[in-house]
Each structure stands twice: as structure tokens, then as C-alpha cells.
Amino acid sequence: MREGGESQSMGDPPPEAVFSPGALLAEVEREVVACGRCPRLVAWREEAAMHPPKRYAGCRYWAKPVPGFGDPQARLVLVGLAPAAHGGNRTGRMFTGDRSGDWLFRALHRIGFASQPFSRNREDGLQLSDCFVTAAVRCCPPENRPLPSERKNCYPFLVRELETLANLRVLIALGGMAFETLLRWVKERWPEEARLLLRKRPSFSHGAEMPLPKGRTLFMSYHPSQQNTFTGRLTEEMFDAVFSRARAALEDVPEQKPPREEEQRTG
């Protein structure tokens, strides 16, 4: 019986299931996918789907906002900029179906966070362990440059994901915009502690790390975009070094983890 004498229906999930990280992330996912707050981004993601490059001619595009995905019990969270027009916007999963994703998941696989070194589509069998991947903006923006208003509209989705991931210990910002977005979250989440930690405004730099309140750590990395990888600004050795340090930071943190949920968000 529920409090007040109300009985629980046989078809109702138990209360602990309703408030589990997996269930809460699924709720965020549904809201992300249904979002249409930014007319410019809606038009652009649909335009990209209607006029794909030759290599994707005939492909059915997702052409909706892309939610985060990964392990609901993750201690590591990666935050990128936004889905690529012919990557995540096509496949429906972050860093999936483009060269940036190739770089990212090779690195995650090498360090033990991903079950395979590639991410091609939502049904490719990829599983993340102790890791969650998301972004500051959920629709592909023209020229990879979201407007301030568009970043503002997406920000609450990221906040809810971060707050739901109760085991969160290490964050990796992939690029300057992801760093700025996470910095905002830190200041809002722990205003007093952040004021002491951030007396001097931090700047983005590849390989830098920043201690956060409650024993958390923020690492910074160049985004694995073709602009960075093709020019040698970001090498695989540089990328791997960031993930190795993130792994080491996780191993240094004593923690008591609840039983793992089998189901992962695959959005």
C-alpha cells in the first residue's frame, strides 16, 4: 500500500525504478528529442538531412536533437560542442558516424571505457562502461557556431544529465565552448566553493586540469575535429594522455558505487 492507503497498481514500476539514474536519463532523452526551441537549428538540421553529401545519399537521417548516452552509473563524463551535420545528426548518437567519433571511441576503447573502437550507428553494439558522452548543444549548428540563445536553450538538458549522474567524479571538456559551459555549471552548482577555486578566471588549454568542489576534476582537451586532427594540432598521443590522466584520477577517488544498471541510454 502507498502512503495514505493508496495501493500501487500491478503495472506501476517500483518507486526506486522511477527515480533511478537510467529512468531519469531516459526522461531527459525524451525531452531532448522532442525539443524545437531553436528555429534556426531546426531548419539547419533538416536542411542537412535533405541535402546530404554523395557518400550519404539515400541514408535516412535522424534530423532531431541528439541526447547524451552511456553508462547511468558513469564516473567520467565527456562534453563536446554539438552533433555534426552528417554525423550525429544523421545517426542519432553523439560522436557517431564521423571522423571525430572515430578518434574519440578509439581513445575510449584503448583506455577501457568503450567496448569497441568505433561508433557507426545506434545499433552497432557499442557499450560505454563508467563513461557518459554528451554535448553543450544538441542540434548541429551552421558552421559549428551555435548562437548564445541556442546554447542557453540547451543548457538545462546538460545540467539535468550532470545532476542525474550521481557517481560523477571526472569531466573532460572537448573544446573551449564545452569548457565554458561546464565552468558555468560549476559556478552555479557550487557558488561558494567555486568562488574560492576560481579566484583567477581559468582559461582553456589542452591538457590542463582544474580541481572542482567535492573531489571532482575537470580536464581539458582539444576537440577531435578534423580541423585539429588533420593539422596535427591534436595527435592521438596527446588525446590518449588526457584519458590516461582521467583514468588515474578516477582510481585515486575512493567510492562506494551502487549496483550497476544493465540498461544504458543509447540515444
Side-chain angles (χ1 to χ4, degrees):
M1 298 284 287
R2 292 177 177 166
E3 185 177 355
E6 181 184 355
S7 62
Q8 180 175 326
S9 166
M10 292 292 290
D12 290 344
E16 61 270 17
V18 174
F19 296 106
S20 70
L24 293 173
L25 288 170
E27 181 180 343
V28 177
E29 177 180 320
R30 287 191 292 270
E31 293 182 25
V32 167
V33 173
C35 183
R37 296 176 189 171
C38 304
R40 188 181 80 117
L41 296 187
V42 172
W44 182 252
R45 75 193 188 209
E46 294 176 353
E47 174 75 12
M50 288 188 292
H51 300 94
K54 289 182 178 180
R55 65 186 182 279
Y56 298 131
C59 291
R60 183 175 182 178
Y61 272 58
W62 172 260
K64 292 177 283 192
V66 181
F69 81 102
D71 187 346
Q73 303 295 343
R75 295 179 298 163
L76 171 67
V77 175
L78 279 62
V79 180
L81 169 59
H86 304 291
N89 186 55
R90 175 175 59 87
T91 63
R93 193 168 69 188
M94 289 290 180
F95 286 99
T96 296
D98 59 26
R99 292 182 184 271
S100 295
D102 293 342
W103 268 68
L104 177 62
F105 290 105
R106 282 200 303 268
L108 288 175
H109 182 257
R110 283 192 292 266
I111 204 66
F113 290 112
S115 62
Q116 59 195 35
F118 57 86
S119 180
R120 294 170 182 162
N121 56 62
R122 287 162 59 92
E123 291 77 39
D124 62 8
L126 173 66
Q127 293 284 302
L128 300 184
S129 176
D130 209 10
C131 177
F132 192 86
V133 177
T134 186
V137 176
R138 307 312 171 100
C139 294
C140 57
E143 300 180 350
N144 288 323
R145 294 179 180 175
L147 301 176
S149 60
E150 294 162 349
R151 295 173 61 184
K152 180 179 179 181
N153 284 340
C154 272
Y155 179 69
F157 294 133
L158 177 62
V159 170
R160 288 171 62 194
E161 288 173 340
L162 296 176
E163 296 297 333
T164 297
L165 294 164
N167 294 325
L168 171 60
R169 291 293 178 269
V170 173
L171 294 136
I172 298 179
L174 298 173
M177 190 172 294
F179 171 70
E180 292 294 333
T181 303
L182 287 173
L183 204 59
R184 174 185 173 184
W185 173 68
V186 170
K187 291 177 179 178
E188 293 178 359
R189 180 66 176 82
W190 301 288
E192 294 302 322
E193 296 95 326
R195 190 173 297 114
L196 295 174
L197 285 171
L198 308 176
R199 291 175 182 173
K200 181 180 179 181
R201 180 175 176 81
S203 58
F204 176 82
S205 176
H206 177 82
E209 67 179 88
M210 188 171 71
L212 301 180
K214 311 302 181 184
R216 294 171 171 84
T217 305
L218 171 60
F219 290 90
M220 305 167 214
S221 171
Y222 290 141
H223 191 284
S225 65
Q226 292 186 53
Q227 180 179 357
N228 288 331
T229 59
F230 279 15
T231 60
R233 188 185 191 199
L234 177 65
T235 66
E236 289 197 310
E237 290 77 12
M238 292 167 62
F239 210 33
D240 285 349
V242 173
F243 287 104
S244 294
R245 289 166 58 202
R247 170 66 81 184
L250 290 176
E251 299 307 320
D252 285 344
V253 178
E255 38 97 24
Q256 292 182 343
K257 296 182 66 176
R260 300 179 64 81
E261 295 184 16
E262 293 184 0
E263 182 178 356
Q264 295 191 20
R265 302 314 313 151
T266 57

